[in-house]
Amino acid sequence: MEFFTEFPALGRRDLRDLRLAIDQSFKGFSREYGEQIEALFDPLLQFLIGFERLLQATPWPIFILVVCGLAWLASRSIRIVIGTAVSFYLIGLFGMWEDTMSTVSMIAVSTILCLSVGLPIGVLMSRSDRAQSIVTPILDVMQTIPSFVYLIPVVMLLGIGKVPGLIAVVIYAIPPIIRLTNLGIRLVDSEVLEAADAFGANPWQRLTQVQIPLALPNIFAGVNQKSNHHDVARDGRDRIDDWCQWIGTTGPESGLQPVSCNGFVKWDGDRCTRHHF
Amino acid sequence: MTTKIEIKSLYKIFGPDAAAMMEKVRSGTTKEQLNDEFNHVLGLNNINLEIPDQGIQVVMGLSGSGKSTLIRHINRLIEPTSGEVWIDGVNVLAMSDAELRDFRRQRASMVFQKFALLPHRTVLENTQYGLEIQGLAEKEAKKRARHWIERVGLAGYEENYPGQLSGGMQQRVGLARALATDADILLMDEAFSALDPLIRTDMQNILLDLQSELHKTIVFITHDLEEALRIGDRIAILRDGRVIQQGTPQQIVLKPKDDYIADFTKDINRGRVIRLKTIMKSDNGQQGPELSGDMLVEDAAQLVTDSPSSHARVMDGEGRCVGVVNITDLIRAMARPDIESRIEDL
């Protein structure tokens, strides 16, 4: 009867050995290759730091002007432009300009990264059913595992800092971009594609003149999802220990500040990208 | 007339093992057997068609007859299971990918039933699409596109998006896009079927107008016999993937090959299909208006009714009298063949 009530698990010693073995081998791996891997991500870090410095060095009126210009280009709506200006003004008023610049640079860099990795993968998936059947379960795993789980090995390898934060955001945010790029391209009207073929378009012309433009509303839905997920960025950016301390030592009223600042930036990105679908 | 496009023993079978099914079809398996026993669809069954240069060849059939499949073999959007397609002595099926793309860019353009315009491009940008793919410089492409937009009567709409236009206007863009590439072959897949009857007639007129000047080789797919008779120089009727009759509109109407076609043609206005030279009698010296042998019976009836004479003289191209018709001949030609039996029924 014991067989049915107790799961025949491995013995305690076996489990401990297994744990030790995994721990040891990962430690060994990170000791051996940690520096190389860090060096590999160094350009990314430099870019991120550079971009953040640039934003922080930009005089605030110019920054607001540029952001409003971008909002106008993306949405063609004067209401959204005014909303953008007001929300950034409020952020500054509450003394969170510097922090917001880090957040914005993190969002911008991670968006560029997500698009430059996600778009090609999405395109590949749309062209091959086999690629789709391989990538889909990987995306499922990426979306179901909580971010701190895959953050642990990354932090062990690279330490706590901007790059692990960035990696966490990318892993968290890239699945919707890949999925919606794939879906968007697969949903392109087959008669329009046939027309492209009938006029002698080559595969590249087909992709850039027909498939991607027509998939754009869906791709933007993915970007929108992504930028709404950027609060994960803060987990990494604010250095996890700081963050824990901050939660522990401050009351809800001071929590309201960063949260609302986050909300403003998010609202802005959301309105501007949503316009496209 | 010389032959422009020649289709020889073309077969298309849809299904996972089409090549193996080909043997069965050659040895006499019918479409139904192939469907029921082997789960393959016989799309085209031994098509042989010679399409004349600079003429309008209509392929007519009901849905499922294989007409859209057939037209897609001419520019090889669909690969045949067996058979040959020759255009100006070149085998389309032997072309490499690059040659085929070049052929589609320069030689054969297409108009689609649901327009298939790019929704994110303006009318002008849509019209220059084929030219862009040809690699033409932007300025020249724009100039040519504007010319064709004007020719199809859309001047002033260059900067509109397809979504802002009515169906008829969208198809004008489709037509302008196809004409802009200067291809000598124009493939039209049910191009006017999605339009209202009035707009459809309009578009037919535009097409006939342009054709009288451009002399392209046009393959026109339709399920509408009126349309087929109106614009076709030659008509091929397709049923269950097989050509059951081909000929001029008059031949189809006057000598339907079987009951299926006879049934189709019985409600047709024959006065708009039959021409004088088909029904004229030998010249017996009667006087009357001089009419061309290519004139339609309906138009002649109007003229003879308005003239004092009850006869008309039928002339050939050189102005010689080749025969006469009287008003009775004209009325008889327009009457339906089964009219007597209908009268008895009353």
Side-chain angles (χ1 to χ4, degrees):
Chain A
M1 277 316 281
E2 204 196 356
F3 179 81
F4 291 102
T5 52
E6 289 290 320
F7 197 92
L10 290 173
R12 256 211 324 226
R13 178 168 302 170
D14 290 338
L15 281 176
R16 199 193 59 203
D17 288 349
L18 187 67
R19 232 172 3 234
L20 276 178
I22 293 173
D23 264 13
Q24 290 304 327
S25 62
F26 190 76
K27 263 185 199 148
F29 174 80
S30 67
R31 262 192 219 112
E32 191 79 16
Y33 298 106
E35 293 208 352
Q36 277 126 297
I37 291 176
E38 230 178 301
L40 198 72
F41 282 106
D42 198 49
L44 197 63
L45 181 65
Q46 294 310 323
F47 181 62
L48 191 60
I49 291 174
F51 195 68
E52 196 176 322
R53 287 213 180 112
L54 175 75
L55 287 186
Q56 277 165 351
T58 310
W60 65 268
I62 294 183
F63 179 84
I64 292 187
L65 222 60
V66 170
V67 169
C68 285
L70 289 176
W72 171 252
L73 284 180
S75 68
R76 304 271 166 197
S77 152
I78 195 70
R79 281 174 51 203
I80 288 175
V81 172
I82 293 172
T84 304
V86 169
S87 44
F88 273 96
Y89 177 76
L90 287 177
I91 287 170
L93 200 66
F94 290 127
M96 283 172 296
W97 189 263
E98 299 270 299
D99 289 340
T100 305
M101 288 307 103
S102 327
T103 304
V104 170
S105 76
M106 179 68 101
I107 298 170
V109 172
S110 64
T111 304
I112 295 169
L113 200 65
C114 279
L115 279 177
S116 54
V117 176
L119 269 186
I121 296 179
V123 169
L124 181 75
M125 271 173 86
S126 71
R127 296 174 83 88
S128 139
D129 286 338
R130 178 176 290 181
Q132 178 173 252
S133 64
I134 293 170
V135 176
T136 305
I138 298 176
L139 297 181
D140 292 340
V141 170
M142 285 163 79
Q143 287 189 298
T144 44
I145 292 183
S147 57
F148 58 83
V149 173
Y150 48 74
L151 217 48
I152 293 169
V154 175
V155 167
M156 281 177 77
L157 262 178
L158 301 173
I160 293 169
K162 288 181 194 300
V163 171
L166 195 63
I167 291 174
V169 189
V170 170
I171 293 179
Y172 194 68
I174 211 170
I177 293 188
I178 297 178
R179 276 188 212 278
L180 287 164
T181 302
N182 172 36
L183 183 74
I185 291 181
R186 282 175 185 263
L187 285 181
V188 168
D189 183 2
S190 58
E191 213 185 24
V192 178
L193 273 185
E194 197 179 37
D197 285 338
F199 280 90
N202 61 32
W204 178 250
Q205 290 169 325
R206 221 173 109 114
L207 182 69
T208 54
Q209 295 177 340
V210 181
Q211 289 177 303
I212 290 191
L214 295 193
L216 222 50
N218 276 314
I219 295 175
F220 266 109
V223 175
N224 180 290
Q225 288 283 299
K226 185 233 149 283
S227 46
N228 277 343
H229 283 155
H230 83 264
D231 27 10
V232 189
R234 222 185 35 194
D235 297 4
R237 196 205 72 222
D238 285 348
R239 288 166 292 280
I240 295 167
D241 48 351
D242 277 8
W243 207 51
C244 296
Q245 206 181 27
W246 172 67
I247 292 175
T249 55
T250 54
E253 71 284 355
S254 49
L256 205 62
Q257 285 185 347
V259 168
S260 58
C261 130
N262 229 312
F264 281 139
V265 177
K266 238 157 65 168
W267 173 85
D268 209 44
D270 184 44
R271 290 300 126 182
C272 291
T273 50
R274 191 176 285 232
H275 184 71
H276 289 271
F277 52 95
Chain B
M1 258 189 198
T2 50
T3 300
K4 179 84 172 178
I5 305 170
E6 192 175 3
I7 297 171
K8 287 187 199 166
S9 355
L10 193 74
Y11 289 88
K12 177 65 189 179
I13 299 169
F14 294 102
D17 198 10
M21 294 301 130
M22 201 50 233
E23 289 308 310
K24 296 195 195 303
V25 172
R26 281 219 176 85
S27 56
T29 308
T30 65
K31 187 182 165 101
E32 287 71 31
Q33 280 174 315
L34 203 69
N35 200 1
D36 298 343
E37 290 169 36
F38 304 104
N39 245 326
H40 280 62
V41 176
L42 182 54
L44 294 176
N45 188 356
N46 195 13
I47 304 281
N48 290 284
L49 204 57
E50 288 183 11
I51 297 174
D53 195 16
Q54 307 194 344
I56 302 183
Q57 167 78 55
V58 171
V59 177
M60 204 216 93
L62 299 182
S63 53
S65 60
K67 55 196 190 304
S68 286
T69 308
L70 176 59
I71 200 174
R72 280 167 175 70
H73 279 84
I74 297 174
N75 60 356
R76 220 172 115 193
L77 286 174
I78 297 179
E79 298 280 342
T81 309
S82 163
E84 294 168 26
V85 177
W86 293 82
I87 292 175
D88 287 335
V90 178
N91 188 355
V92 176
L93 300 174
M95 288 180 183
S96 67
D97 282 358
E99 285 170 330
L100 182 62
R101 271 202 293 275
D102 208 49
F103 167 75
R104 289 172 179 170
R105 286 175 189 179
Q106 312 286 349
R107 301 285 316 279
S109 54
M110 197 160 177
V111 183
F112 296 85
Q113 180 173 10
K114 292 189 203 113
F115 324 134
L117 301 173
L118 295 168
H120 62 292
R121 289 176 164 227
T122 62
V123 167
L124 183 67
E125 288 164 345
N126 263 294
T127 308
Q128 73 190 63
Y129 178 67
L131 300 173
E132 242 174 270
I133 289 185
Q134 286 181 352
L136 202 69
E138 166 117 8
K139 204 175 156 203
E140 174 66 18
K142 278 217 158 39
K143 197 177 122 202
R144 273 210 235 166
R146 280 184 198 285
H147 167 76
W148 286 108
I149 289 171
E150 201 167 305
R151 286 305 307 269
V152 299
L154 274 185
Y157 289 95
E158 287 87 350
E159 302 307 324
N160 284 75
Y161 286 88
Q164 302 169 308
L165 305 180
S166 68
M169 288 159 97
Q170 289 190 45
Q171 194 57 301
R172 287 174 196 233
V173 181
L175 190 58
R177 172 176 71 176
L179 292 171
T181 67
D182 225 3
D184 49 342
I185 298 170
L186 188 58
L187 304 173
M188 305 187 69
D189 180 25
E190 299 235 27
F192 305 151
S193 299
L195 308 174
D196 306 338
L198 276 179
I199 297 180
R200 194 184 308 171
T201 315
D202 240 22
M203 292 297 290
Q204 291 165 356
N205 289 338
I206 291 177
L207 182 69
L208 290 173
D209 256 17
L210 288 166
Q211 172 65 357
S212 65
E213 176 185 329
L214 301 171
H215 304 296
K216 291 183 185 285
T217 301
I218 300 178
V219 182
F220 192 102
I221 302 287
T222 182
H223 62 256
D224 178 358
L225 186 64
E226 293 264 7
E227 185 168 65
L229 295 171
R230 179 139 191 262
I231 63 176
D233 294 320
R234 295 179 58 82
I235 298 174
I237 297 183
L238 222 59
R239 186 190 186 187
D240 290 341
R242 204 185 258 285
V243 175
I244 50 177
Q245 185 173 4
Q246 51 178 316
T248 62
Q250 286 195 91
Q251 285 167 338
I252 303 278
V253 171
L254 293 177
K255 290 188 184 134
K257 213 168 188 176
D258 60 16
D259 292 346
Y260 178 76
I261 301 174
D263 205 39
F264 253 122
T265 53
K266 90 174 178 258
D267 290 329
I268 283 303
N269 181 345
R270 296 148 56 92
R272 281 197 208 142
V273 177
I274 301 168
R275 293 169 196 279
L276 291 186
K277 62 184 176 194
T278 314
I279 58 162
M280 67 191 179
K281 294 184 178 127
S282 56
D283 183 11
N284 54 8
Q286 291 281 357
Q287 290 306 303
E290 296 183 347
L291 306 176
S292 155
D294 285 327
M295 180 174 273
L296 291 172
V297 165
E298 193 179 66
D299 300 334
Q302 191 74 51
L303 289 168
V304 175
T305 314
D306 290 347
S307 88
S309 161
S310 63
H311 284 74
R313 295 165 64 75
V314 181
M315 315 302 282
D316 68 3
E318 272 88 54
R320 284 183 303 246
C321 178
V322 287
V324 293
V325 288
N326 64 24
I327 192 78
T328 320
D329 299 330
L330 294 172
I331 292 170
R332 189 175 291 133
M334 284 191 279
R336 291 171 183 168
D338 56 347
I339 195 85
E340 286 115 35
S341 62
R342 286 198 190 174
I343 291 167
E344 277 163 24
D345 283 349
L346 289 171

